[in-house]
Amino acid sequence: MDQIIGRDYILETNAPENVEIFLNKYDNQNYILQVLNLSGFNGTTYHEPIVMNEINLAINLKEMEHVYSLVHESDISYERHNNQLSIKIDKLTSYEALILKA
């Protein structure tokens, strides 16, 4: 993350440890945030994941003005507090991908 948004980043979440979060810059100003629910994975086999509700993510990203879910093909509401973008994923089944646009 240091290379993407610098060393002053903060990523906070209430997601349990079996949720992986990836942030990638895909052009000069936009990002993709991927959230992967690994609760159904035990190291060698995959089972139906445990559905997780109300996952909150807060990350320092300047000038993000639009959040779009690729999974649900819809806009996602968010809040901005200073330079921090706050996003709530109401329900995480197995995967969520969010486009963060400037």
Side-chain angles (χ1 to χ4, degrees):
M1 290 184 93
D2 292 346
Q3 296 172 352
I4 296 173
I5 57 177
R7 295 198 180 271
D8 294 330
Y9 66 85
I10 294 175
L11 173 62
E12 298 174 11
T13 184
N14 65 340
E17 293 176 355
N18 55 356
V19 172
E20 288 190 7
I21 301 170
F22 305 93
L23 179 68
N24 297 98
K25 197 169 191 178
Y26 72 88
D27 63 18
N28 288 336
Q29 58 186 356
N30 300 307
Y31 298 85
I32 183 167
L33 180 67
Q34 300 175 81
V35 184
L36 183 60
N37 181 350
L38 296 175
S39 64
F41 177 64
N42 73 3
T44 57
T45 60
Y46 290 91
H47 300 283
E48 196 66 31
I50 297 167
V51 176
M52 298 181 189
N53 296 309
E54 295 188 17
I55 298 215
N56 297 306
L57 300 156
I59 189 165
N60 282 357
L61 284 175
K62 299 174 185 172
E63 303 174 6
M64 292 297 114
E65 300 297 331
H66 188 241
V67 180
Y68 181 80
S69 169
L70 292 175
V71 173
H72 301 288
E73 299 180 341
S74 63
D75 291 336
I76 300 293
S77 61
Y78 65 91
E79 293 182 14
R80 175 167 290 292
H81 305 284
N82 298 322
N83 288 334
Q84 193 171 63
L85 185 68
S86 297
I87 303 166
K88 182 170 90 172
I89 298 173
D90 293 324
K91 182 179 178 181
L92 177 63
T93 323
S94 57
Y95 175 75
E96 179 61 83
L98 302 175
I99 298 296
L100 312 176
K101 291 187 175 185

